[in-house]
Amino acid sequence: MRSAFTAAKLTSLLGVFLAVSVLMGIIGAGLVAPVVGAAGFAAREGVGMFERLPGDLDQNPLAQQSRILAADGSVLATPAKQNRIIVESGDISEWMKKAQVAIEDERFYQHGGMDVEALARAVVSNATSDNTQGGSTLTQQYIKMALKEEALKDGDADAIRQLDARAGMDGYIRKLRELKYAVTLEERLTKDEILVGYLNLAFYGDNVYGVEAAARHYFNTTASELTIAQAATLAGVVRSPTATTPVATPELSEARRNTVLDKMYQQDLITEGQMEAAKGLSVQQLIEGNLRDSQRSCINSRNPYFCDYVTAWLLQQPALGKTPDERLERLTTEGLTVETTLDVEMSDTLEEMLREATPPNEYHVGSAASVVQPGTGHVVALAQSSEYSFEESSDKIESTSVNWNVDTVHGGPGGMQIGSIAKAYTLVEALEKGIPVEATLKIEEPGVASSSGVWLDNPEDPQPMPSDGETHPVGVFQKEDFQEGCTIGEDYWTVRNAQDQNHDPEMELRQAASLSVNTAFATLASQVGTCDIRDTMTAMGMHQGNGSEPDPFPPSIVLGSDYGSPLTVAASYAAFASGGIYCPPTPVTKVLDSDGNEIPLEQQACERVVDEEIALGTVELLKGVVSMEGSGWKAILDGGRPAGGKTGTNDNSTHTWFAGFTPQLSTAIFVGGRIGNSQPYDGDMVDLTIGNTVVDGPLFGSSLAAPTWKRFMDWAHRDLPNEDWEKPSTEILNGKRVTIPSVIGMSEEDAQEELREAGLTGSIQRVGSSQPEGSVVYTTPGVGSSIRTDTPVVLHVSTGLAPVQQQARPQPVPQPQPQQPAPAPQPAPAPQPAPAPAPEPPPSAPAPVPPPPPGDDDPGNGGPGNGPPGTDPPGQDD
């Protein structure tokens, strides 16, 4: 089979070789007239010929331009080819010329349009292997690009198909045709004119054509000023502009750039020192802070950020072509009509409110928001406080082209830390595991930690008083408290609450949710399973800004140190509003071709990801956040309109959120700085004055994000009916009766899993016992008891030491607050009541316009044990 195939292939290629020889003889004898088009090349002499090629849309509109429409039918943008700036030879760096020749055609200056050596090598390679190797010269490539531009301009699909042919007779005919054109062109133009024409015509990725536009776009320079490293980067892009674009794939672009530099050195075009110096600069360094206007039509759109998002979304649609290049080609040349979901008035109003909330300020704080329709996933509004510009402001907050609302795949900065936005998913998993809305959580006695999270009264390793004398009550959690594979990476994890409050031994789940109590949620997560919470988040569409799954380790999964985009958060929270149905966010409802025929898009359908009763129970808990007793009290809507939501703040208050929903709309509002590579504020985010808002103390999700959410949602619902959700079932509210399973003698982890399967939660209390360390000695209530699922079970776990062997718990150094007395050693196995904790002052009830209640709308200290080795410490989350 192989030999027969090779023989046939060799015979065919020899025929082509013979035809080439005959053709060259004919051309050499002058018996064939120049092909139509080649004379035009000669007459225009170099770059002048490109004046007839289409430029940017505003200067030379195409008959087949596409249109992007808002939901009301108004035009948002008219995508069209091409971003190109024609320059003369003297305006192009010699390094650029050398780099392009080195990588594409090292014998460019020696051949006459056909490189016999390269062609012979290609023939032999193609005849003796299954690989297809080209023998095209730079001149031939130039011919092909020019012909394709003409075919695209004329809308000649057959000509485009023939130009793209690579195999069979069509491929051979195309090659012969290009050879004839190339030889003719070499007789009429100088080498420099051909090279300059090539550099003006080539596609350099990211919607930029020609070396001048590429230099400006990627490096904020001109073609005449390109350095060796910059020139080599651009030269490397041409062969595969989608795969090696410096923006989307900097690593691949850098590898290709280094190949170009190697070629330049091998051909004595640069010295070894110049090569090494150029390789010392990463592609990321070359483009960082330099990306500029690619002259896409979105820059003139009424909502350029949404326009960019739509364009990026369309380039992911297989229905428009096999590759992003093909999809872009179709979008910018085939007269498509793209109908989107954008409510222009709503989006404009949202943008205005964001700019009023975070006008230019010394703290480099900006804001962004996305609005999604529950039940459809339609993106009805998307805005941010910055001005859209490729000429970014120095802080990259006032002016930028980076879309803060979307994921990296759609041009976003990678998201922002979501903080306690993540806690909603722990509530879902708790209800899934049978914990009812009216449950009471048992929380272990707090330990004492330094401000850096070091556990000072650790019985196994007591620590001295910190030098600054500052200590805090903390919840202390250990590896075995969480699911295997989704636990902490250190021996322990200390968790702080806002204002060091809410350390009661028991807390209603409603209160924990409304006040966002960190220690309560860490306790709850240990009971319901951190791996399972991660799975719930993923099912509900919550992922990181770079597209990866949520980090399953407790500091991230519980307190939200992961990075997410506002659009992802809004779409995920819409699943609560719609009763557990998740719809992937979509900005486009329909795409029509130039004849008005609909192009079927491949879109992920809406899917039920949470049982409706579970969703209703979660909404019941999240409604408590948007109440006078909740951390989101500043988001209460006019007229008492029902709404649920969650505040969020990271550990240094640089990222704050309010995400909330009604049955009609889900909106996520972000307020903060340190977005992507924006300029950070040097000071602490405390006692700020931003626009007309004075922030006393740290910047929280309740400071600016929540009141901005309220203002927008009140406006957006002004003409909408007042709707509410149904009440969850009695079982979801109050739980059901189950029997405590036999867990005596089990490991702590296995016992917790057994309780979870029974729909119960288990807190841990360590007792002196000669039973193996970590094994369950007894439970309270006892094994076999019939209890409701809202009743927590206490697992009394052995320390491995008999009571007489145990050392008394070290007393912490006197603190500003009174400390809880250590429990006296208890005999085993008979259960003994733990000593009552010292009373704490109850939180003061909030007045109509007082400071917010003592919820955890500020960080919880991560301390040691923040995650697996090598992970970043968690955000202090509200």
Side-chain angles (χ1 to χ4, degrees), residues 347-469:
S347 201
D348 287 351
T349 301
L350 179 59
E351 179 184 90
E352 180 182 347
M353 291 181 178
L354 292 176
R355 289 180 176 173
E356 290 176 1
T358 57
N361 56 84
E362 63 181 295
Y363 315 107
H364 312 310
V365 167
S367 54
S370 295
V371 186
V372 172
Q373 186 179 70
T376 66
H378 290 175
V379 183
V380 293
L382 183 151
Q384 61 194 63
S385 60
S386 63
E387 294 283 349
Y388 185 91
S389 174
F390 290 99
E391 298 295 330
E392 291 185 313
S393 56
S394 59
D395 63 357
K396 300 184 181 180
I397 294 293
E398 281 189 51
S399 300
T400 182
S401 62
V402 178
N403 190 341
W404 300 337
N405 275 287
V406 298
D407 292 340
T408 304
V409 69
H410 294 131
M416 290 72 80
Q417 282 187 304
I418 61 174
S420 285
I421 295 297
K423 289 176 180 172
Y425 306 100
T426 298
L427 295 176
V428 174
E429 193 60 33
L431 296 177
E432 289 272 12
K433 294 292 171 60
I435 299 173
V437 170
E438 305 298 350
T440 298
L441 304 177
K442 287 190 180 294
I443 302 173
E444 277 203 74
E445 176 188 357
V448 178
S450 67
S451 56
S452 62
V454 176
W455 185 11
L456 300 178
D457 56 343
N458 184 348
E460 297 181 4
D461 185 21
Q463 297 295 312
M465 168 71 79
S467 58
D468 60 5

Side-chain angles (χ1 to χ4, degrees), residues 99-131:
Q100 203 71 70
V101 168
I103 192 62
E104 295 297 340
D105 188 358
E106 65 183 272
R107 283 183 294 280
F108 173 69
Y109 292 102
Q110 284 75 53
H111 63 66
M114 180 179 71
D115 187 342
V116 177
E117 179 181 340
L119 184 59
R121 183 174 63 248
V123 169
V124 172
S125 175
N126 295 340
T128 58
S129 71
D130 292 335
N131 297 323

Side-chain angles (χ1 to χ4, degrees), residues 11 57 83 112-113 123 132 146 190-191 391 410 516 710 752 755 783:
T11 301
L57 177 65
N83 173 27
V123 169
T132 300
T190 66
K191 290 287 186 179
E391 298 295 330
H410 294 131
S516 192
K710 168 189 164 49
Q752 288 276 36
L755 290 179
V783 167

